[in-house]
Amino acid sequence: MRSHLLLLALFAFVVSLVFAVIAKDDAREQLRFGGMMFAGFLAAAIVLGWLMYPFPL
Amino acid sequence: MRATDATEETRSGTIVLLCLASWAIPGAGHLWLGRRAKGLIFLVALPVMFAIGLAIRGRLFPFDFSDPLVGLEALADLGIGVPYIIASALGYGAGDVRAVTYEYGNAFLIVAGLLNLLVVIDAYDVMLGRK
């Protein structure tokens, strides 16, 4: 598996899952919290990726 | 008075055992405390995350504190417990710095260990009745 986006999504999924299960007790709240966190991870990565695009490394 | 001391000692011993079990086997503390669903999720998710880190050629860092970051990464890796010991014993985790997924692998390994330490703290809180 070499796709960075796929690895990022997998990483975000597992981290969101564990945090949601730790932070919330109710299944609905876990789903909501985990979903928000997962979406936040993906959105932040994509936005930051585009913001860094003009800068040479 | 003595009975109270003995009870307190037993409770402390149980808490230490619970934390050790929770560190060694991700989710074991929650399973012990009867939180089956949470325990099973941790039992599957964290070792899988650790295994993915190894599969994509991440490195289990050596305990070399002359470079503080390497030492801290080694401590974070160790946070996953028994899977770390098994992987080390079987010779996994050599890492391949030339692989494009090397840094991702390290992130998976380190974060799996750190998340397991959070799970240990959560089990401790549940045991004390804080959650």
Side-chain angles (χ1 to χ4, degrees), chain A residues 1-5 7-8 10-11 14-15 17-19 21-25 30, chain B residues 35 38 41-42 45-46 49 52 56 100-101 104 107-108 111 115 118-119 122 131:
Chain A
M1 189 192 297
R2 286 178 164 207
S3 161
H4 281 221
L5 186 65
L7 284 170
L8 183 148
L10 193 60
F11 180 87
V14 180
V15 174
L17 174 72
V18 173
F19 266 104
V21 172
I22 286 176
K24 305 287 178 188
D25 287 326
Q30 287 172 345
Chain B
R35 305 215 169 180
K38 284 191 174 197
I41 288 172
F42 297 140
L46 293 174
M49 191 178 191
I52 291 170
I56 59 176
V100 288
T101 53
Y104 266 105
F108 272 78
V111 173
L115 284 176
L118 268 183
V119 169
D122 188 59
K131 287 186 83 180

Side-chain angles (χ1 to χ4, degrees), chain B residues 52-69:
Chain B
I52 291 170
L54 291 177
I56 59 176
R57 301 186 184 177
R59 181 183 181 202
L60 292 174
F61 287 90
F63 287 89
D64 175 12
F65 287 94
S66 62
D67 185 346
L69 281 181

Side-chain angles (χ1 to χ4, degrees), chain B:
Chain B
M1 189 76 172
R2 273 186 191 169
T4 315
D5 287 348
T7 310
E8 195 58 40
E9 219 167 84
T10 310
R11 187 172 157 76
S12 301
T14 309
I15 290 172
V16 170
L17 262 181
L18 176 99
C19 289
L20 275 176
S22 189
W23 164 74
I25 302 165
H30 288 80
L31 289 171
W32 182 339
L33 295 169
R35 305 215 169 180
R36 278 191 195 168
K38 284 191 174 197
L40 286 175
I41 288 172
F42 297 140
L43 186 62
V44 173
L46 293 174
V48 163
M49 191 178 191
F50 186 76
I52 291 170
L54 291 177
I56 59 176
R57 301 186 184 177
R59 181 183 181 202
L60 292 174
F61 287 90
F63 287 89
D64 175 12
F65 287 94
S66 62
D67 185 346
L69 281 181
V70 170
L72 289 172
E73 282 165 332
L75 282 177
D77 286 341
L78 185 61
I80 195 72
V82 166
Y84 173 91
I85 296 164
I86 293 172
S88 295
L90 295 177
Y92 292 112
D96 180 3
V97 75
R98 295 164 304 172
V100 288
T101 53
Y102 174 73
E103 292 296 344
Y104 266 105
N106 290 339
F108 272 78
L109 292 171
I110 290 167
V111 173
L114 294 177
L115 284 176
N116 192 40
L117 295 179
L118 268 183
V119 169
V120 172
I121 293 169
D122 188 59
Y124 176 75
D125 278 343
V126 172
M127 176 83 184
L128 293 186
R130 291 176 185 161
K131 287 186 83 180

